[in-house]
Amino acid sequence: MINKVVNNAQDALLGVENGMTFMLGGFGLCGIPENCISELVRLGVSNLTCISNNAGVDDFGLGLLLKKHQIKKMISSYVGENEEFERQMLSGEMDVELIPQGTLAERCRATGAGIPAFYTPAGYGTEVAEGKETREFNGKMYVLEHAFNPEFAFVKAWKGDTAGNLIFKGTARNFNPMMAMAGKITVAEVEELVEAGELDPNQIHTPGIFVQRIFQGKDYEKRIEQRTVTQKS
Amino acid sequence: MALSKQEIAQRIAQELQDKWYVNLGIGIPTLVANYIPKNIDVVFQSENGMLSMGPFPIEGEEDADLINAGKQTVTILKGGSLFDSALSFAMIRGQHVQLTVLGAMEVSQNGDIANWKIPGKMVKGMGGAMDLVASAENIIVAMMHTDKSGASKLLKRCSLPLTGVNCVKKVVTNLAYLEIKNNAFYLIERAPGVSVEEIKAATEGTLIVEGEIPEMKF
């Protein structure tokens, strides 16, 4: 067993520097690496390129990094719900690259799977395909999309073990497994860290081979972005 | 009478078929889930990683780890499953999802759709819409026939940045049910009490009217 455990977020983010490219898991505020984001804010690293499906809200998630002007470029599929984001985008302080959600997911997967590029139909004939190679297969047009090259990937899991194996819960899985595959250094923070052998190998979502550092997260807020309920009848 | 948003959803629900996997977009499409015909089984896919998406949870049972693609708290039904975003879009691109219902700002008579960006306004992003429209065999657009200023949203060519090309097959608006083929909108049904002339006047693209056009039935 290779032990991947580090003490805390501070140790997990050793080597993080200005100007780096990061992947951050999560969909909206669901399954985001809360502890890693807090530590990035504390470190104050800047000029970052962040690949994440969304950009958080004004006072939580990646919004915390935006507020401190730490992000130079966001690569996302949807970035609503954040006024400071809108301001920095419109004023040109921050670059934004919007890409289709499935393309984003597959580019993350390709990065970790050793696939430099792939064809997808998403975005053909739209501005997303401008300047990109296109090709016809079986009578349908496709766009060539490339893998990323992130220095770090930060992911959040429900349970993890000392060998770095991860299990996600509910829809908090989202982009986390592909991003875990993609990081040169992948940092996993977990709600519950257990000894190797305690998780059933049949139930592992992300094998520990993809995880370089794992730590027990703390003080999870797990905020709900849109609380929708059915009244008891 | 023009249809309400609920009635648009109700008419679209009549298009659902037994054993279909269906992806519903945000807005009117979400309402389709309230009108599933009796005696058929359909499964809703949420592109953030869930099959068999159920209704909103009972108050007090919300789970931050169980949301839909609109980031709303939801439930998962019996027989459901959870998965990552790459697998989710593999289902979509691989055409394992039989129907996509989504909203639009504009649709053109060759099946192009624009629904993600208005130049000069804050762009929030396309989310999964481009993947969905590029891959689905069956796409139904749910929208108002005209915009707030009264301008037609069924056009010869879209003026806004496109989400996808040659992909929309059916449109259900507050005025009509139309099919797109041969570079034209074919009028199939009218909303109850809405005349063919009213629909013609509200449609900028080529509108084909063949024979008597029946009213929608609910």
Side-chain angles (χ1 to χ4, degrees):
Chain A
M1 200 273 289
I2 302 174
N3 193 322
K4 306 285 177 74
V5 178
V6 295
N7 287 326
N8 49 37
Q10 207 171 331
D11 289 355
L13 269 65
L14 214 67
V16 162
E17 289 174 18
N18 293 340
M20 281 185 166
T21 297
F22 301 149
M23 284 182 177
L24 298 104
F27 187 100
L29 301 177
C30 182
I32 58 172
E34 294 183 20
N35 285 241
C36 288
I37 292 171
S38 298
E39 180 61 15
L40 287 170
V41 172
R42 198 192 66 80
L43 287 170
V45 284
S46 60
N47 276 319
L48 305 174
T49 296
C50 292
I51 302 164
S52 182
N53 188 54
N54 312 92
V57 294
D58 274 317
D59 61 346
F60 200 56
L62 283 176
L64 298 171
L65 289 176
L66 281 165
K67 206 190 273 181
K68 294 264 178 86
H69 301 270
Q70 291 174 263
I71 301 177
K72 177 188 68 177
K73 182 175 184 181
M74 268 312 302
I75 299 175
S76 304
S77 85
Y78 190 85
V79 294
E81 355 289 353
N82 191 324
E83 282 177 32
E84 176 60 16
F85 185 97
E86 185 170 347
R87 198 195 60 71
Q88 290 186 27
M89 178 171 158
L90 294 174
S91 69
E93 287 167 61
M94 178 183 51
D95 274 346
V96 179
E97 185 181 343
L98 293 168
I99 54 184
Q101 197 172 119
T103 299
L104 177 62
E106 195 64 15
R107 286 177 70 183
C108 294
R109 203 193 75 81
T111 306
I115 295 172
F118 58 90
Y119 284 98
T120 176
Y124 177 75
T126 77
E127 63 182 52
V128 163
E130 280 171 18
K132 290 177 184 163
E133 199 176 316
T134 57
R135 185 166 162 182
E136 186 183 323
F137 294 93
N138 306 317
K140 185 169 170 152
M141 293 303 294
Y142 295 80
V143 183
L144 188 68
E145 296 282 1
H146 290 78
F148 293 110
N149 192 17
E151 272 98 358
F152 278 83
F154 302 111
V155 304
K156 149 86 193 333
W158 176 40
K159 290 182 181 178
D161 68 17
T162 51
N165 296 304
L166 305 177
I167 297 176
F168 303 92
K169 181 164 163 274
T171 53
R173 195 178 323 180
N174 55 63
F175 285 82
N176 284 299
M178 293 85 70
M179 290 183 171
M181 293 166 67
K184 274 195 200 71
I185 296 175
T186 289
V187 174
E189 56 172 87
V190 298
E191 287 179 58
E192 191 183 343
L193 182 63
V194 300
E195 288 299 322
E198 285 188 34
L199 299 178
D200 178 354
N202 289 298
Q203 306 297 328
I204 301 295
H205 296 133
T206 292
I209 190 171
F210 294 119
V211 174
Q212 279 67 50
R213 303 172 186 172
I214 189 167
F215 69 97
Q216 167 73 56
K218 57 177 189 182
D219 304 329
Y220 282 106
E221 277 194 51
K222 296 176 70 166
R223 276 200 212 174
I224 291 175
E225 215 167 322
Q226 308 278 347
R227 188 178 298 273
T228 44
V229 295
T230 308
Q231 296 304 325
K232 264 182 208 162
S233 53
Chain B
M1 272 282 284
L3 303 183
S4 65
K5 289 179 178 178
Q6 283 74 17
E7 288 165 327
I8 294 174
Q10 209 174 342
R11 177 62 192 85
I12 290 172
Q14 294 174 12
E15 300 299 301
L16 298 175
Q17 290 183 24
D18 193 30
K19 298 183 175 61
W20 268 9
Y21 290 88
V22 178
N23 184 292
L24 301 177
I26 293 164
I28 300 173
T30 305
L31 302 172
V32 172
N34 300 331
Y35 303 103
I36 307 167
K38 288 199 173 66
N39 310 319
I40 73 164
D41 289 316
V42 295
V43 167
F44 293 113
Q45 197 247 18
S46 189
E47 66 266 26
N48 57 319
M50 184 182 354
L51 278 168
S52 294
M53 179 171 49
F56 296 148
I58 289 169
E59 198 166 359
E61 293 178 8
E62 310 92 284
D63 180 354
D65 289 331
L66 209 59
I67 62 168
N68 64 17
K71 290 139 194 163
Q72 298 169 312
T73 45
V74 291
T75 53
I76 183 165
L77 301 175
K78 275 183 195 164
S81 53
L82 297 152
F83 36 87
D84 65 54
S85 301
L87 197 61
S88 182
F89 282 93
M91 289 172 197
I92 290 165
R93 271 189 247 97
Q95 299 192 331
H96 305 281
V97 175
Q98 277 79 27
L99 173 67
T100 287
V101 183
L102 76 176
M105 299 169 188
E106 294 178 345
V107 174
S108 72
Q109 63 192 35
N110 66 332
D112 292 354
I113 174 172
N115 75 350
W116 76 285
K117 183 175 181 180
I118 301 174
K121 289 206 176 161
M122 167 66 185
V123 183
K124 293 189 168 183
M126 66 292 280
M130 284 194 183
D131 309 272
L132 283 158
V133 300
S135 303
E137 285 174 271
N138 252 321
I139 300 171
I140 303 179
V141 165
M143 66 176 189
M144 295 293 139
H145 211 97
T146 55
D147 68 17
K148 281 172 189 156
S149 69
S152 181
K153 296 169 73 171
L154 288 87
L155 306 171
K156 286 192 164 56
R157 288 180 69 89
C158 293
S159 63
L160 295 169
L162 296 178
T163 307
V165 294
N166 300 313
C167 53
V168 179
K169 306 276 194 320
K170 293 174 181 172
V171 183
V172 179
T173 74
N174 51 330
L175 303 183
Y177 170 22
L178 310 104
E179 285 180 8
I180 296 178
K181 55 186 178 184
N182 309 323
N183 201 32
F185 295 104
Y186 282 70
L187 183 57
I188 306 299
E189 293 175 9
R190 298 173 288 123
V194 173
S195 69
V196 171
E197 283 64 38
E198 283 174 79
I199 296 163
K200 267 186 188 162
T203 308
E204 192 252 10
T206 306
L207 184 74
I208 307 285
V209 181
E210 292 178 336
E212 279 295 301
I213 305 297
E215 285 189 350
M216 294 177 190
K217 289 195 179 66
F218 290 99

